[in-house]
Amino acid sequence: MAGHHHALTRRLLTLAGLAVGPVLVLGVFFVLPVSGMVALGFWPDGAFDPGGVLEVLARPRVHRVAWFTVWSASAATLLSVVLGMPAAFALHRLAIPGRRLVRAALLVPFVLPTVVVGVAFRELLGESGPLGFLGLDGTPVAIIAGLVFFNVAVVVRAVGAAWESLDPRPGEAAAALGATPWQVFRTVTLPALRPAVVGAASVVFLFCATAFGIVLTLGGVRYATVETEIYLLTTTLFDLQAAAALSVLQLLVVTVLLALAARLRAVPDPSAHRAVVRARGVRVPDVPAVAATGVLLLAVAAPIATLVAGSLQTTEGWGLDNYRALTTTGDDGALLVPVTEALVTSLRTAVDATWMALLFGLVVGIVVTRRSHTRTERRVRSVLDGFFMLPLGVSAVTLGFGFLITLDRPPVDLRDSALLVPIAQALVALPLVVRTIVPVLAGIDDRQRQAAASLGATPWRALLTVDLPALWKPLVAASGFAFAVSLGEFGATAFLARDERPTVPVVIFRLIGHPGEMNYGMALAASVVLAAATAVVVLAVERLRVPSVGAF
């Protein structure tokens, strides 16, 4: 009994030792900013004043902004699911030549900087663009198209991964008994895919509702979401209490949505259960699915191709003038530093954010996936798991705003620290790292670690000999995604980047905000450079063939 108690104490102490670092980091860089934001909303002058928050929420513009956020995110989510489902089937169930390359190509928009996506759609839909005759520039349709472009990869990857695991034989048997392909799909396969579809749709809705760069670039002040309104209230109107009130509202709504999505995924569906037992496969017409995938690929390629073409256009025809101008500060002093210097800053910042996110994500993964031997251990791990997942419910803009108002005074004064932006970007990239690493760690048989321990291996030795061989590819993939996400992060960085140390996304936004043909051409060229960098990283990650990468 004493030995059992001693073992339990040792395991709990080990768990506490591993968890103390991430808990302190989240406490300082998540709980403190969020608490400061809530305090600014409800205690603006040191006294509790909920009336101020209610006054903000009662404003007609806030109602318009909230409604536009909800319906635009809903429309974009629905379109992403409708367009992504055929591609998910074609790219994960059919032996199409070059399907890995197509899957990687469809994944590129997901990690493209949101400012780049906004600039690409402006170039595509603007008056002089290929689709300028449609008159969609500056309309909600343009915003929704940008959101779908950015998020359809989530549906393709998440639903496709689930579809790939379904056994085709029961579906083929159902078809042999007289069921048409669409009947099998509608009544058998779709209910079986419900958890994956609901999960993907909830993530897409979350991304759309908290989109920043796309909406800010394409909608401006006229079509604002809660996310862009927080930014405008802070940087343009200097109404910090109103911005804090909207941040609190957004935080509550996102938390409720995440809880609801988790419940929908968890609730068993009788029809889905029958589908799994009777006919888990699917037979849908191959030709329409392939054709729909081809159309989707063209739709994804069009904005990027237009962006590249626009960057090569000069006053004298075609050339590299816009790229050569990246070594300057633009017309009329649009920038304080050249774009090339901002690119160096972006790369350095992304490297710092990547190792932070990787180190933090690895420790979190180890803490939440180790097998619990007692109810006490399970309860502690469950609490820690919930605590570590809290940043999933906070948008980048809200996080940046929280940093801005809380980390500016002792004992945590980081206003002039070069680590402030990398830390914020690391927290933004953390969900991708955790969701890539955790499924792999959870799949490792704990008995292998026990066998290593029985042979005298220390916990660190067991980690190196048992976990690392299975984990190195996911670690490389996670670092690639973290690097790409950090390279293009704009929401938090827009608040935190110093004028003399901007990142490339911040520079692009400043260039398109300054009139002048040279400035706009430089913005296009900088966008292409940033898009190319992220695309190379994503294509390299795709070659690693890490299944957990699809678990957004």
Side-chain angles (χ1 to χ4, degrees):
M1 185 67 182
H4 174 74
H5 180 73
H6 178 70
L8 173 60
T9 303
R10 189 175 66 252
R11 287 196 299 268
L12 287 175
L13 287 174
T14 302
L15 177 62
L18 283 172
V20 66
V23 167
L24 286 175
V25 171
L26 273 189
V28 174
F29 297 109
F30 176 78
V31 176
L32 182 62
V34 170
S35 301
M37 195 173 57
V38 172
L40 183 61
F42 286 94
W43 289 270
D45 299 314
F48 184 56
D49 181 23
V53 173
L54 296 176
E55 184 274 325
V56 171
L57 300 181
R59 296 176 185 176
R61 176 170 172 83
V62 170
H63 294 168
R64 291 195 301 271
V65 166
W67 170 240
F68 181 75
T69 303
V70 171
W71 84 258
S72 62
S74 300
T77 301
L78 180 62
L79 282 172
S80 296
V81 172
V82 170
L83 295 174
M85 290 286 284
F89 167 73
L91 297 176
H92 289 83
R93 298 294 305 212
L94 302 179
I96 302 173
R99 69 171 184 168
R100 282 185 56 222
L101 184 61
V102 175
R103 276 156 60 169
L106 290 179
L107 183 61
V108 167
F110 179 68
V111 293
L112 279 182
T114 54
V115 174
V116 171
V117 175
V119 171
F121 271 85
R122 282 183 60 170
E123 186 68 8
L124 178 68
L125 302 175
E127 290 184 8
S128 59
L131 300 182
F133 65 92
L134 296 175
L136 297 177
D137 188 28
T139 68
V141 175
I143 295 173
I144 292 171
L147 293 175
V148 173
F149 170 88
F150 188 74
N151 290 296
V152 71
V154 177
V155 178
V156 175
R157 299 286 296 203
V159 177
W163 219 329
E164 197 169 26
S165 66
L166 300 182
D167 184 358
R169 291 171 298 180
E172 292 166 354
L177 293 174
T180 66
W182 289 113
Q183 284 175 329
V184 175
F185 174 73
R186 188 180 68 254
T187 62
V188 176
T189 306
L190 193 57
L193 290 174
R194 171 184 157 176
V197 174
V198 171
S202 62
V203 171
V204 169
F205 184 88
L206 179 64
F207 286 157
C208 291
T210 58
F212 179 60
I214 293 174
V215 180
L216 190 64
T217 307
L218 297 176
V221 179
R222 184 179 180 187
Y223 296 109
T225 60
V226 172
E227 190 88 343
T228 59
E229 188 72 1
I230 293 170
Y231 176 76
L232 293 171
L233 284 169
T234 306
T235 60
T236 305
L237 301 177
F238 305 106
D239 190 348
L240 296 185
Q241 185 183 8
L246 284 181
S247 296
V248 172
L249 174 66
Q250 184 188 54
L251 184 62
L252 291 174
V253 170
V254 166
T255 303
V256 170
L257 285 174
L258 287 173
L260 181 62
R263 186 174 180 83
L264 286 173
R265 288 196 299 268
V267 172
D269 184 348
S271 62
H273 177 70
R274 289 195 299 272
V276 172
V277 174
R278 289 172 29 224
R280 294 189 299 172
V282 62
R283 286 291 300 164
V284 300
D286 296 349
V287 174
V290 173
T293 304
V295 171
L296 181 61
L297 188 61
L298 288 175
V300 165
I304 299 176
T306 307
L307 178 68
V308 174
S311 72
L312 295 172
Q313 288 181 345
T314 67
T315 54
E316 300 176 356
W318 298 89
L320 299 175
D321 292 1
N322 292 326
Y323 290 90
R324 294 191 187 98
L326 296 181
T327 58
T328 72
T329 55
D331 272 344
D332 299 325
L335 305 173
L336 291 180
V337 299
V339 179
T340 48
E341 188 175 325
L343 180 60
V344 173
T345 300
S346 286
L347 292 172
R348 187 184 301 118
T349 303
V351 169
D352 288 337
T354 299
W355 71 256
M356 290 178 190
L358 206 62
L359 179 62
F360 188 45
L362 182 60
V363 175
V364 168
I366 292 172
V367 169
V368 301
T369 58
R370 285 297 187 267
R371 189 165 67 91
S372 300
H373 297 81
T374 65
R375 182 179 299 178
T376 303
E377 280 187 90
R378 277 195 297 273
R379 189 176 295 119
V380 171
R381 290 186 193 276
S382 177
V383 170
L384 288 172
D385 189 22
F387 180 67
F388 292 146
M389 291 302 104
L390 283 177
L392 286 173
V394 178
S395 70
V397 164
T398 299
L399 187 65
F401 180 41
F403 272 42
L404 190 69
I405 63 174
T406 56
L407 303 181
D408 61 346
R409 65 182 76 90
V412 190
D413 187 355
L414 297 176
R415 284 172 300 182
D416 298 321
S417 173
L419 291 177
L420 188 60
V421 174
I423 290 169
Q425 292 184 357
L427 286 176
V428 172
L430 181 64
L432 277 176
V433 174
V434 172
R435 293 190 178 204
T436 302
I437 291 175
V438 163
V440 180
L441 281 173
I444 297 174
D445 192 344
D446 197 54
R447 288 175 295 185
Q448 297 181 37
R449 302 187 186 100
Q450 294 172 1
S454 67
L455 294 174
T458 64
W460 289 111
R461 178 76 176 173
L463 183 69
L464 290 174
T465 57
V466 176
D467 295 54
L468 191 60
L471 200 59
W472 76 267
K473 277 190 178 182
L475 279 174
V476 174
S479 63
F481 268 111
F483 185 83
V485 168
S486 301
L487 199 61
E489 204 286 316
F490 181 55
T493 310
F495 282 93
L496 303 174
R498 308 284 293 187
D499 290 340
E500 66 276 10
R501 292 200 302 267
T503 60
V504 176
V506 173
V507 161
I508 292 171
F509 185 70
R510 289 178 184 170
L511 285 170
I512 62 176
H514 280 75
E517 191 172 333
M518 178 183 176
N519 291 336
Y520 189 69
M522 288 174 61
L524 296 180
S527 297
V528 171
V529 170
L530 204 53
T534 54
V536 167
V537 172
V538 171
L539 291 174
V541 167
E542 183 68 13
R543 290 187 64 84
L544 291 173
R545 300 187 185 185
V546 178
S548 60
V549 168
F552 292 118

